Amino acid sequence: MGQNTQAGLSFVLSACVTLPGHRQTIDEENFYLHITAPSKVIKEEIRFNAEETELLFLPENAQIELVVADDIGKHQLTIKEHQGSIVYHYRLNGQQLTFGVKEKEWFASQIPLIIDKAGLKHGPG
């Protein structure tokens, strides 16, 4: 009976092992940022333009999740790379919206915070 208990315990412990990859979470009042990437080196490849208004490059298998509450409401933005393109999924107060001009302007206003809080890079190279 002692061997079965030990085998069961090792199974439970192995289920708790974290999957490989790099995760960074910033969770502050009204600002939540979660970045996942295969490694920290790959996360550091995320690149914004020099003006800090646009995401230029998101590596394959990397994702950015941003949730911000402000006077307009609760903004939820998930950004993924898909077949060489950056794909934006945006919700405002739970309603999925097209990522249009107003939404891009809102995201641009958040980029300096994202760069600062996550230690990401902007500008050339």
Side-chain angles (χ1 to χ4, degrees), residues 87-106:
V87 180
Y88 299 85
H89 296 281
Y90 176 78
R91 293 182 170 279
L92 179 59
N93 298 321
Q95 180 181 2
Q96 179 133 5
L97 298 174
T98 303
F99 196 66
V101 173
K102 284 193 318 188
E103 294 76 17
K104 288 176 184 176
E105 287 174 358
W106 170 80

Side-chain angles (χ1 to χ4, degrees), residues 63-122:
Q63 176 176 307
I64 298 172
E65 179 186 354
L66 178 65
V67 181
V68 176
D70 61 18
D71 295 342
I72 298 169
K74 183 179 178 183
H75 305 264
Q76 297 170 280
L77 180 62
T78 303
I79 309 167
K80 300 178 181 180
E81 184 277 340
H82 181 70
Q83 297 179 345
S85 296
I86 299 173
V87 180
Y88 299 85
H89 296 281
Y90 176 78
R91 293 182 170 279
L92 179 59
N93 298 321
Q95 180 181 2
Q96 179 133 5
L97 298 174
T98 303
F99 196 66
V101 173
K102 284 193 318 188
E103 294 76 17
K104 288 176 184 176
E105 287 174 358
W106 170 80
F107 178 54
S109 75
Q110 300 302 309
I111 290 174
L113 286 171
I114 294 168
I115 290 170
D116 183 53
K117 292 179 184 294
L120 296 174
K121 297 179 181 152
H122 62 282

Side-chain angles (χ1 to χ4, degrees), residues 23-68:
R23 291 160 187 77
Q24 180 179 19
T25 303
I26 291 120
D27 191 358
E28 299 174 352
E29 188 176 347
N30 300 323
F31 185 90
Y32 174 84
L33 176 66
H34 184 74
I35 301 171
T36 55
S39 70
K40 185 175 181 181
V41 170
I42 291 174
K43 181 202 95 173
E44 290 172 353
E45 292 176 6
I46 296 170
R47 180 83 59 212
F48 295 89
N49 65 354
E51 297 77 26
E52 299 183 10
T53 57
E54 186 179 354
L55 178 61
L56 295 179
F57 180 72
L58 186 65
E60 188 175 349
N61 297 319
Q63 176 176 307
I64 298 172
E65 179 186 354
L66 178 65
V67 181
V68 176

